[in-house]
């Protein structure tokens, strides 16, 4: 009888210790880990974050050519926008001011718009090998006031291309 009580006491103590050990383990640990530690393993790992290569946008100036102002004219200019950055990543390009041209010298009576191919104000460009080129489409509107333009004068307008990596 004494031996039986000793065995029951020992079993009760072991059960109590097992319950206490299991209760302090994190919720995602397998309870079998407590009893098989020599047969288990763990490994610490690191997480690295890399900042992509600096995105660079260079836009060639556009020579629209001769224009008399008698009608609205649209012209395409291939390979005017050059983008370099992280290889094989997509870049989203767009225009400030929704692509509206800003003419200098206060010529607000006529305007125009700049876009990418097929009149798109935004474009996704894949940097194959870290670089890509894209075309511009420029529209110069007919002036609202007849006789506004001076013969032999060159008028300048500005637009700004903006871009960022897509998905970072």
């Amino acid at each position: 009888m004494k031996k039986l009580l000793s065995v029951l006491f020992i079993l009760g103590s072991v059960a109590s210790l097992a319950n206490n050990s299991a209760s302090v383990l994190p919720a995602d640990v397998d309870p079998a880990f407590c009893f098989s530690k020599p047969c288990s393993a763990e490994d610490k790992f690191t997480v690295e974050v890399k900042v992509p290569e600096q995105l660079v946008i260079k836009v060639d100036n556009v020579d629209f050519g001769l224009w008399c102002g008698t009608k609205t004219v649209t012209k395409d200019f291939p390979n005017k926008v050059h983008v370099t950055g992280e290889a094989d990543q997509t870049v989203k390009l767009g225009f400030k001011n929704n692509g509206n041209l800003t003419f200098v010298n206060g010529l607000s009576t006529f305007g125009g718009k700049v876009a990418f191919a097929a009149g798109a104000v935004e474009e996704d460009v894949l940097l194959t090998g870290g670089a890509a080129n894209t075309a511009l489409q420029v529209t110069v509107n007919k002036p609202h006031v007849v006789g506004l333009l001076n013969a032999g004068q060159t008028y300048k307008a500005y637009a700004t291309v903006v871009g960022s990596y897509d998905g970072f």
Side-chain angles (χ1 to χ4, degrees):
M1 181 75 157
K2 204 176 195 186
K3 287 185 182 184
L4 181 60
L5 286 174
S6 295
V7 169
L8 288 176
F9 177 76
I10 291 171
L11 287 176
S13 298
V14 169
S16 175
L17 286 173
N19 284 338
N20 286 342
S21 295
S23 66
V24 296
L25 289 174
D28 59 347
V29 172
D30 183 359
F33 177 78
C34 299
F35 305 106
S36 63
K37 189 165 179 135
C39 298
S40 64
E42 65 181 49
D43 188 23
K44 182 169 75 172
F45 63 94
T46 60
V47 176
E48 294 179 358
V49 178
K50 180 182 182 265
V51 177
E53 294 294 322
Q54 178 66 47
L55 186 62
V56 177
I57 300 172
K58 169 125 177 45
V59 184
D60 297 334
N61 290 329
V62 173
D63 183 356
F64 199 79
L66 297 175
W67 176 70
C68 291
T70 57
K71 61 183 175 182
T72 297
V73 177
T74 299
K75 293 183 180 182
D76 292 331
F77 299 91
N79 297 322
K80 287 293 186 179
V81 180
H82 313 283
V83 184
T84 57
E86 189 71 30
D88 304 321
Q89 296 299 317
T90 301
V91 174
K92 184 171 284 302
L93 298 177
F95 296 98
K96 282 188 176 180
N97 197 25
N98 203 32
N100 292 318
L101 292 176
T102 303
F103 281 86
V104 294
N105 302 330
L107 295 174
S108 59
T109 57
F110 72 103
K113 193 159 185 112
V114 64
F116 296 108
V121 178
E122 289 186 352
E123 182 171 80
D124 290 336
V125 176
L126 177 63
L127 299 179
T128 305
N133 297 318
T134 190
L136 291 177
Q137 184 181 76
V138 180
T139 301
V140 178
N141 299 332
K142 177 182 175 183
H144 299 294
V145 178
V146 178
L148 174 71
L149 302 175
N150 296 320
Q153 179 70 39
T154 299
Y155 296 94
K156 291 183 180 182
Y158 297 96
T160 302
V161 175
V162 294
S164 65
Y165 287 110
D166 191 29
F168 293 138

